[in-house]
Amino acid sequence: MPVNHRLLFLLFLLSFETAQRLVTGDPNDEACLTNLRQSLEDPANNLRNWTKSFFSNPCSGFSSYLHGVICNNGRIYKLSLTNLSLRGSISPFLSNCTNLQSLDLSSNQISGEIPPQLQFLVNLAVLNLSSNRLSGPISPQLALCAYLNVIDLHNNQLSGQIPYQFGLLARLSAFDVSNNKLSGQIPSNLAMRNGNLPRFNASSFIGNKKLFGYPLEEMKNKGLSIMAIVGIGLGSGIASLVISFTGVCIWLKITEKKLEEEEGKISHSMPVY
């Protein structure tokens, strides 16, 4: 076969495979969506068009037939299922959506643990699982998603320690684990940058009773200082009242004694009839 014909044949094969992929969708995305739908409960029926017939080909260029799905070049790159009253759990097969860059399941009633398999979403930049009922530890393996710049896990029931590996994420610009059940010391590389500059403030960590360390310690110390000032003020006020009351009592006693002495003098000077 001549060289030109070979090139044409190869180009034909490539274009055929590309066209077939666009028509049938990516099998990894299909597995991702199928398993996610099975793991979620949808009492409000917001995912009514999440059916098997669409899972095999969810994308049409940049748009999608499925609620909350955004595509890029035939692949799912964003999942946004926020405030839909969803229950159930997060499927570990979400890791099959290998082109995913943003995952937002916030403001639902999803429970269970955060699957460590999410570490395989190597393109993930935004992870928002806030305001759910997630529990268990935060997997340090999530830090393998090196492009993460947003991690929002606030208002859950997560326990254990904050993985220090999160502090190694160079792109991380927003971090919130407030109002959970986390414990232990806040990793110093999340609290401070190089050069002793603050990285994330106390609002990212508050609401975890057993969590300690900077910047929470600074906030507690400020609170103690304010309480001390108030205490000193109250103490001074009470002391002033006591001293004033004691002074009045002494003055009354002295006045009473003087009156008694005056009455005694008058009684001695009066004639007897």
Side-chain angles (χ1 to χ4, degrees), residues 187-200 214:
S188 58
N189 53 8
L190 280 173
M192 303 291 290
R193 300 180 188 274
N194 293 333
N196 294 326
L197 296 172
R199 189 174 186 185
F200 300 110
Y214 182 87

Side-chain angles (χ1 to χ4, degrees), residues 151-162:
I151 298 177
D152 192 351
L153 306 175
H154 78 271
N155 286 352
N156 278 288
Q157 300 170 26
L158 299 168
S159 58
Q161 297 186 336
I162 301 172

Side-chain angles (χ1 to χ4, degrees), residues 30-264:
E30 182 179 1
C32 168
L33 295 172
T34 301
N35 285 281
L36 179 61
R37 183 65 189 90
Q38 289 174 356
S39 69
L40 293 175
E41 299 172 19
D42 180 28
N45 201 27
N46 288 306
L47 304 181
R48 52 187 170 273
N49 69 334
W50 277 53
T51 57
K52 191 174 181 180
S53 58
F54 286 119
F55 293 158
S56 60
N57 185 27
C59 297
S60 176
F62 289 92
S63 61
S64 173
Y65 309 107
L66 301 175
H67 179 82
V69 176
I70 298 175
C71 300
N72 182 18
N73 197 26
R75 293 293 311 275
I76 298 170
Y77 93 101
K78 184 176 181 179
L79 273 174
S80 181
L81 304 175
T82 65
N83 198 25
L84 298 177
S85 302
L86 298 175
R87 300 172 186 169
S89 59
I90 300 173
S91 170
F93 290 97
L94 257 175
S95 59
N96 284 68
C97 284
T98 52
N99 205 47
L100 198 65
Q101 296 180 32
S102 177
L103 175 61
D104 190 347
L105 303 177
S106 62
S107 301
N108 286 294
Q109 301 171 40
I110 301 170
S111 57
E113 297 189 0
I114 300 172
Q117 290 87 347
L118 296 185
Q119 65 177 297
F120 298 115
L121 297 174
V122 294
N123 295 306
L124 196 65
V126 176
L127 177 64
N128 188 352
L129 306 176
S130 63
S131 298
N132 277 287
R133 298 176 181 175
L134 297 169
S135 58
I138 303 172
S139 173
Q141 293 167 300
L142 292 176
L144 293 174
C145 301
Y147 292 106
L148 275 171
N149 56 64
V150 174
I151 298 177
D152 192 351
L153 306 175
H154 78 271
N155 286 352
N156 278 288
Q157 300 170 26
L158 299 168
S159 58
Q161 297 186 336
I162 301 172
Y164 79 91
Q165 290 91 338
F166 283 176
L168 303 176
L169 291 167
R171 297 170 182 256
L172 194 62
S173 59
F175 182 77
D176 193 348
V177 292
S178 61
N179 300 317
N180 278 283
K181 297 180 179 179
L182 298 169
S183 58
Q185 186 166 5
I186 297 170
S188 58
N189 53 8
L190 280 173
M192 303 291 290
R193 300 180 188 274
N194 293 333
N196 294 326
L197 296 172
R199 189 174 186 185
F200 300 110
N201 59 33
S203 63
S204 295
F205 307 101
I206 58 173
N208 295 281
K209 292 182 179 179
K210 296 183 180 180
L211 201 62
F212 62 91
Y214 182 87
L216 286 183
E217 288 301 320
E218 185 183 59
M219 186 178 70
K220 289 177 182 177
N221 290 337
K222 284 181 180 178
L224 288 172
S225 300
I226 292 168
M227 288 300 294
I229 291 168
V230 172
I232 290 168
L234 287 173
S236 300
I238 292 168
S240 299
L241 286 172
V242 170
I243 291 168
S244 300
F245 180 74
T246 304
V248 170
C249 290
I250 292 170
W251 179 79
L252 288 172
K253 195 73 177 175
I254 292 169
T255 304
E256 186 181 358
K257 192 173 181 181
K258 284 182 178 180
L259 286 171
E260 287 176 355
E261 288 176 354
E262 289 295 328
E263 287 178 358

